[in-house]
Amino acid sequence: MKSNFWRNSVGLEPGDNWKQEWAAGILSYFASVYIVMVNAAILHDAGMPLRAGMVATLLTAITGCLLMAFGGKTPIIVVPGMGINAFFTYTLVHSMKLDWREALAVVVVTGVLFAIVAFTSLYRILSDAIPHNLQHAITVGIGLFLTFIGLQKSGIVIAHRTTFVAIGHFSDPAVITSCVTLVLALVLFIRGTRGGLLISMIVGTGLAYLLGASHAPGQEDSGHVFSGYGDVFAGMDLSRGISLVFWIAVFLLLLIVVFENIGLIASQTLMAGRPERFKSSLRALSIANIAAGLFGSSPVVAAAESTAGIAAGGKSGLTSLVTGMLFGATFLFIPLLAYVPDSAIAPILIVIGGLMVQSVREMDLSDMTELFPSFLIMVMIPFTYSIVDGMAFGFITYPIVKLAMGRGKEVPPALYGIAGLFVANFVLHALMG
């Protein structure tokens, strides 16, 4: 009786092999654990203490995986999303001038709205409001943005007074470390080595200290694992909750979170042979996004690394449960994670960016009215160093070119409103500037 209750609680069905589920959960963990250090580094760029960012990332991943195990009953791994964390730091905080605590408030409010969307039929309406080419263009643009950030962090690309960017100095030990780590990460990933990104980070860290490209963590990163985390947990600041900037941030983050996760969850539940669990998985993920803001992290996604576990035989929530348990054990290694330098993290951003650019294959660029708005999104996100501004160029251009060609009916009605919001945002900035 207890056995049946346990099997039902994580969605195990007759014929599912629990040993395969455990192996799939372990594999998923090693494929995705690199996110702990990478996400913490990006949150640190927003002003959050590094160690607190690690704790927040781990608590978010644990909660997300448990919600997916018992709520979604699918082998989907839930972690803070790459690309969305860049939106959190480099757009909400750096471009829109929100404090990281105010950005956490944006995450919580977005999570609540996402839950409303997920528990109703609104997710279909919201997803259909954005043409597929624009959706994929945003993914490609964020991928290029992550790549640019990785190149900057590594020192491979540096600032230049005349050309704005230039190649870095290859006599710099940090640049050498980054290049070696990047090559290793690419080779391991392309060969399909399990935990390849994690292995390359470990090797890159060792090489950085060997070449003198890094140093031991400072005093602020020492002490108890949870030291400094008290200021981050439930640390969101709603003081700007009535401002237009805040709600523009919420709206844009909601769009990104919703249509990115709808695609990821749909493909992963289908791959696992459990397409009927799409709704329950989407709902579990929406609740996990509220938890992310409360714990002090950027929003979560159904990790692309879930496919590694699914390919290894994961079909039920037992896989994500095992991964969540292993994330819990990772707290023991937080003191060691603080030793990982930027030169070992930056190459991972470049690889992830390259993977996101693959979305260009899903785009139909034979129609010029689809090509140019998509192109503007893809190039303006990295060139303006702002996901919001990059999206704005494409979303405003799309209805204009469609109307110019007498094809205004092809524009979803909601997109006119979204384009109007982007125009209003530009006008507001011009008036305030």
Side-chain angles (χ1 to χ4, degrees):
M1 192 71 164
K2 287 183 179 179
S3 176
N4 287 335
F5 172 77
W6 174 251
R7 292 175 69 89
N8 291 335
S9 65
V10 293
L12 277 169
E13 295 184 357
D16 289 349
N17 186 324
W18 68 269
K19 290 183 180 179
Q20 275 190 344
E21 299 282 335
W22 272 85
I26 294 170
L27 177 59
S28 294
Y29 168 77
F30 282 106
S32 59
V33 69
Y34 72 89
I35 195 68
V36 177
M37 193 56 228
V38 176
N39 191 60
I42 291 177
L43 293 176
H44 184 55
D45 282 351
M48 191 180 296
L50 182 63
R51 181 166 290 201
M54 292 183 215
V55 173
T57 301
L58 277 175
L59 289 175
T60 299
I62 294 166
T63 304
C65 287
L66 293 180
L67 283 168
M68 194 59 74
F70 296 109
K73 302 182 190 299
T74 46
I76 295 173
I77 308 310
V78 179
V79 295
M82 293 300 299
I84 298 181
N85 52 11
F87 182 88
F88 178 92
T89 293
Y90 303 107
T91 296
L92 297 187
V93 176
H94 290 186
S95 294
M96 302 181 79
K97 307 302 180 186
L98 296 174
D99 182 78
W100 63 264
R101 296 169 185 82
E102 294 168 342
L104 288 179
V106 171
V107 175
V108 173
V109 173
T110 299
V112 172
L113 293 177
F114 184 18
I116 294 171
V117 167
F119 280 85
T120 63
S121 60
L122 284 173
Y123 69 89
R124 286 197 190 94
I125 298 170
L126 196 56
S127 179
D128 292 343
I130 312 297
H132 289 294
N133 277 337
L134 297 190
Q135 291 187 29
H136 292 304
I138 294 168
T139 302
V140 174
I142 293 174
L144 293 172
F145 188 34
L146 273 181
T147 302
F148 188 39
I149 293 167
L151 291 169
Q152 286 180 304
K153 279 182 169 291
S154 65
I156 296 174
V157 167
I158 58 175
H160 189 277
R161 197 185 320 175
T162 306
T163 60
F164 294 104
V165 290
I167 196 74
H169 304 291
F170 286 91
S171 58
D172 186 343
V175 176
I176 296 171
T177 300
S178 296
C179 289
V180 172
T181 306
L182 176 60
V183 171
L184 178 62
L186 288 172
V187 170
L188 293 179
F189 183 85
I190 291 170
R191 288 177 60 87
T193 304
R194 295 178 179 180
L197 297 182
L198 176 64
I199 293 169
S200 61
M201 278 181 62
I202 294 171
V203 173
T205 300
L207 183 61
Y209 284 95
L210 189 64
L211 297 178
S214 190
H215 52 81
Q219 188 67 34
E220 69 274 9
D221 293 319
S222 60
H224 192 272
V225 167
F226 287 88
S227 60
Y229 180 64
D231 295 330
V232 173
F233 178 72
M236 59 277 184
D237 180 1
L238 283 162
S239 61
R240 293 183 66 180
I242 58 172
S243 69
L244 179 60
V245 170
F246 182 91
W247 286 102
I248 288 174
V250 168
F251 179 71
L252 294 174
L253 185 58
L254 180 64
L255 285 181
I256 295 171
V257 169
V258 169
F259 64 63
E260 182 166 338
N261 279 304
I262 285 174
L264 285 167
I265 292 175
S267 63
Q268 290 170 10
T269 51
L270 186 63
M271 185 179 176
R274 302 285 196 271
E276 71 280 1
R277 295 180 184 171
F278 169 82
K279 280 188 180 180
S280 61
S281 298
L282 188 68
R283 291 169 179 175
L285 192 73
S286 69
I287 297 171
N289 266 292
I290 300 173
L294 293 173
F295 284 131
S297 173
S298 52
V300 295
V301 297
E305 290 79 9
S306 302
T307 55
I310 295 171
K315 293 183 178 298
S316 75
L318 182 56
T319 295
S320 45
L321 174 60
V322 171
T323 304
M325 290 165 58
L326 289 172
F327 273 125
T330 309
F331 276 110
L332 299 172
F333 303 102
I334 280 184
L336 294 176
L337 294 178
Y339 283 84
V340 181
D342 276 352
S343 54
I345 295 171
I348 308 305
L349 296 178
I350 297 170
V351 174
I352 297 297
L355 294 175
M356 294 179 74
V357 171
Q358 289 183 106
S359 287
V360 75
R361 297 183 302 184
E362 307 297 324
M363 300 169 67
D364 177 13
L365 301 177
S366 58
D367 182 344
M368 292 296 109
T369 64
E370 298 281 338
L371 167 64
F372 280 102
S374 302
F375 169 73
L376 286 174
I377 289 175
M378 289 187 283
V379 297
M380 293 305 287
I381 286 177
F383 289 169
T384 61
Y385 217 77
S386 169
I387 296 171
V388 168
D389 293 338
M391 288 172 63
F393 275 89
F395 278 60
I396 293 170
T397 305
Y398 190 88
I400 291 174
V401 295
K402 289 290 186 182
L403 287 168
M405 295 300 293
R407 294 161 56 183
K409 290 183 179 179
E410 295 179 16
V411 182
L415 191 58
Y416 286 109
I418 295 171
L421 282 175
F422 278 121
V423 171
N425 187 42
F426 279 144
V427 170
L428 182 67
H429 277 289
L431 294 174
M432 290 174 64

